[in-house]
Amino acid sequence: MSDPTDPATEAFVAHRDLLFTVAYEMLGSAVDAEDVLQETWLRWVKVDLARVGDQRAYLVRITTRQSLNRLRAMQRRKETYVGQWLPEPLLTAPDVAEDVELAESVSMALMLVLETLSPTERAVFVLREVFEFDYDDIAAAVDKTPGAVRQIAHRARRHVDARRPRQAVPASVARAAVESLRRALETRDPQGLLDVLAPDVVLVSDGGGVKRAALRPVVGAEKVARFYLGGSRRVEAALTTEPTTVNGNPALAVRLDGELDGVMAIRVDDTRITGLYFVRNPEKLTHVRTETSLTLR
């Protein structure tokens, strides 16, 4: 990057966390989001700043266009992906969890809902519903008319609302559920698992063809408990779990003989766990060792 006192560099650095958050919410991949930021920078330094009225909006426009290009390429990769595809988990700071809107927008549960949108619908939804950009700015970013963007936004919002996870519970309730799950997993206690799992709990696991994982979602408390306990019996290593915060929400870091084996993001409704999102693919665990800064502004 250029001299930090250069106006282009200064503007880019000032909005970097926002640009990363936009790219990540569109892509679900931190690695690809970082690549998008590099592409954004290369285009930004060629812009005549004297002709830019709103630098923040202009940078987001570049990031959105590059994210759309990357998202379409990723769709082809996902078609050949082995098993279930989950977003790349991010280790996040406590301030992300405290920001309810931000934590929901990057939660594994909502990110999976966004996977069901088309690339343009996802871009419009993210920019409008999450970052509250106006229709004119979004139209410039996705190369549509403001009227078309309004229609896309309405359609995407209706689609997401029909599938959006229920309201998150207070942090204290979530922590209690996670602690109960942690004890049950470490002791391999079937009844303990059944007590903390909701009857309709869904487990989605992502091994990327490298680690053992279910090829399809596992639905129901008994099936989830059997899947986990059956797999753990084949593992001779010592299993430990550690509470952490991933994508602004409760999670467990799962270790075998002290080595990180995966990250399990957790969705809690009422007092029970309704969603488990277990990422074991080693290529997706690069951003769970150091905190990633996210922001909506």
Side-chain angles (χ1 to χ4, degrees), residues 11 67 76 88 95 133 169 171 237:
S67 295
R76 291 190 288 273
E88 186 177 347
D95 62 329
F133 279 90
V169 300

Side-chain angles (χ1 to χ4, degrees), residues 41-58:
W41 164 251
L42 293 175
R43 284 159 177 77
W44 174 243
V45 293
K46 298 177 182 178
V47 172
D48 181 0
L49 297 188
R51 300 171 64 90
V52 177
D54 185 336
Q55 294 182 347
R56 176 177 180 270
Y58 199 99

Side-chain angles (χ1 to χ4, degrees), residues 255-268:
R255 300 181 184 278
L256 296 178
D257 284 343
E259 294 294 325
L260 183 67
D261 178 70
V263 171
M264 185 181 295
I266 299 163
R267 176 74 189 183
V268 180

Side-chain angles (χ1 to χ4, degrees), residues 244-258:
T244 186
T245 302
V246 164
N247 291 45
N249 290 268
L252 289 174
V254 180
R255 300 181 184 278
L256 296 178
D257 284 343

